[in-house]
Amino acid sequence: MYGRKGFQLILELDSCTDISQFNEALVKEVLEEMQSLYNANMADSNAIRNDDNMALLPSVQLRHIALTRNKRCILAYIYNRMRKLRELRWELGSILPPEINSNLLNAEIQWFQSYNKSLATYMKSLGEDYGFNLTTNILPPKTPYVEVKCVMDFGRLELEDGQVILLKKNTYHLLPRSICEPLIRQGILEHNNI
């Protein structure tokens, strides 16, 4: 039946919360089905035009609907992967974890890098000298400082005022929220819930 493989792509999107491995084989099968539908439609539409055989018109219309549906399924699959990549950029920062990065195609990696550059250029254009980092405070902060616990040995961290702090495992610090949030997202620090 036409369109089942395209529907499988949509089901795959529905079943995954993270970005899974790009299903290149299934996308290729959908594209091959689309090519065969297109070729059959071209042959039948030529027969309609040349032989005036209107009995072929319903099959041409059915195949055209299947073609359109497959195209929408592939575009939805690609768009949702890009949307998830964009969300990950805002959540995790400009560097993706290796387990996510290994699931991406080269074109997706290039798109992510291009999105990083565009976002960085925009953030640099805001503010005066250093720009404005839009990804630090996604939700409005309640306090400018956060008490955090260091989960792993990180080393030296230089604050905006020039103060240097040594982040060692199981140490507690009161740090500016703008500096902590990227480190919390990376798993180096965690909120202190004492």
Side-chain angles (χ1 to χ4, degrees):
M1 188 69 181
Y2 299 136
R4 285 197 182 177
K5 299 199 189 288
F7 184 65
Q8 287 176 1
L9 283 173
I10 301 302
L11 288 178
E12 182 179 312
L13 280 178
D14 221 12
S15 65
C16 299
T17 55
D18 280 342
I19 295 181
S20 60
Q21 184 76 29
F22 188 85
N23 198 338
E24 211 168 343
L26 190 56
V27 169
K28 186 177 180 180
E29 289 177 23
V30 173
L31 290 173
E32 287 171 355
E33 179 182 313
M34 290 174 69
Q35 185 64 46
S36 68
L37 289 170
Y38 177 79
N39 291 339
N41 265 3
M42 285 302 292
D44 284 354
S45 61
N46 285 336
I48 290 172
R49 186 176 44 230
N50 295 337
D51 302 335
D52 202 24
N53 186 358
M54 297 307 283
L56 298 173
L57 188 59
S59 61
V60 169
Q61 290 174 334
L62 176 68
R63 285 190 295 262
H64 180 73
I65 290 169
L67 263 168
T68 305
R69 183 171 187 257
N70 279 343
K71 180 174 80 170
R72 288 175 57 203
C73 289
I74 287 179
L75 290 174
Y77 182 74
I78 293 169
Y79 172 77
N80 279 297
R81 289 179 63 86
M82 288 173 51
R83 185 180 51 80
K84 287 179 184 178
L85 278 174
R86 187 176 59 227
E87 289 171 3
L88 287 173
R89 168 57 180 100
W90 285 84
E91 290 173 15
L92 301 176
S94 60
I95 299 173
L96 291 174
E99 61 270 7
I100 292 176
N101 216 11
S102 64
N103 290 337
L104 302 178
L105 294 174
N106 285 336
E108 290 174 321
I109 292 171
Q110 289 173 357
W111 181 88
F112 185 76
Q113 291 170 348
S114 173
Y115 184 72
N116 275 336
K117 287 178 186 174
S118 297
L119 186 60
T121 303
Y122 177 69
M123 289 190 295
K124 284 180 185 175
S125 72
L126 300 174
E128 295 174 14
D129 294 334
Y130 302 106
F132 185 74
N133 190 352
L134 296 171
T135 62
T136 55
N137 292 325
I138 294 176
L139 298 174
K142 295 178 182 173
T143 61
Y145 290 91
V146 179
E147 189 172 348
V148 291
K149 176 184 177 185
C150 190
V151 179
M152 62 179 69
D153 289 334
F154 181 72
R156 297 166 44 109
L157 175 70
E158 186 173 347
L159 302 180
E160 292 171 350
D161 61 358
Q163 181 183 4
V164 176
I165 296 175
L166 184 62
L167 295 178
K168 293 184 93 178
K169 188 174 182 176
N170 296 326
T171 57
Y172 295 88
H173 305 277
L174 186 64
L175 298 172
R177 184 177 295 274
S178 62
I179 292 175
C180 292
E181 284 192 349
L183 296 173
I184 290 170
R185 286 192 291 252
Q186 291 173 14
I188 296 166
L189 300 176
E190 67 181 20
H191 286 283
N192 187 17
N193 297 327
I194 294 179

